[in-house]
Amino acid sequence: MTDSLIPRARVPLADGYEIDTDHDSLDLERVHEWLSTDAFWAIGRSFDVVQRAAAASVNFGVYDPTGAQVGYARLVTDGVTFGWLCDVYVAPDERGRGLGKALASAVVDATRPLGLKRLMLSTLDAHELYARVGFEPFPDPDRLMVIGAS
């Protein structure tokens, strides 16, 4: 697990919600259900892939006041120069409470002490949310290349 790349983050939120990077608190079966059935970028993703990806990432869970997981984000990073924020998801019945913004902010805040040269993400429809925590369009997209874009 790469959770040790950053100090454990526990972020209390309004109304008893909390963000925590404790890997052992994750409900990966719930995360798998969300991603594989409702997240357009991960439809059909197997539980094995979700589990292996989580094991190789720094994970951020969002928990309601009862301790049930209601959100998730994953940070892929070397802990020194680069990070990729991905699989950001908030359960549909919990949306509209600011949890997505809080989750993105928690990732940015947790990575700030690392001094990463670049923290990136890809979004189809949440540009405004990520802009509120400091993300901006890549200044020169012609420099980016990818394998597996289709």
Side-chain angles (χ1 to χ4, degrees):
M1 277 187 293
T2 58
D3 286 332
S4 62
L5 289 173
I6 65 169
R8 181 175 178 189
R10 293 180 79 178
V11 181
L13 304 174
D15 300 323
Y17 287 81
E18 180 178 69
I19 296 172
D20 196 338
T21 58
D22 178 31
H23 185 87
D24 294 334
S25 297
L26 294 172
D27 182 345
L28 286 181
E29 290 180 7
R30 180 171 283 182
V31 171
H32 170 254
E33 180 181 340
W34 291 332
L35 296 179
S36 68
T37 65
D38 191 46
F40 66 86
W41 66 90
I43 296 293
R45 188 178 289 176
S46 72
F47 180 74
D48 179 62
V49 168
V50 169
Q51 194 171 37
R52 288 186 299 130
S57 303
V58 180
N59 301 275
F60 293 75
V62 183
Y63 303 93
D64 73 10
T66 71
Q69 188 169 350
V70 298
Y72 178 72
R74 200 164 60 81
L75 174 67
V76 180
T77 184
D78 60 12
V80 181
T81 64
F82 180 79
W84 181 264
L85 173 58
C86 54
D87 290 341
V88 179
Y89 188 91
V90 174
D93 55 341
E94 298 289 341
R95 294 177 187 164
R97 300 177 191 266
L99 298 175
K101 180 181 181 292
L103 186 52
S105 291
V107 173
V108 169
D109 291 345
T111 59
R112 196 166 277 124
L114 300 176
L116 302 179
K117 180 176 180 171
R118 187 164 285 123
L119 178 60
M120 296 178 67
L121 61 81
S122 176
T123 185
L124 182 65
D125 58 2
H127 296 79
E128 280 187 39
L129 180 144
Y130 294 114
R132 288 191 297 237
V133 297
F135 285 92
E136 58 189 43
F138 196 79
D140 189 1
D142 291 338
R143 293 176 48 191
L144 292 175
M145 298 182 76
V146 65
I147 293 176
S150 53

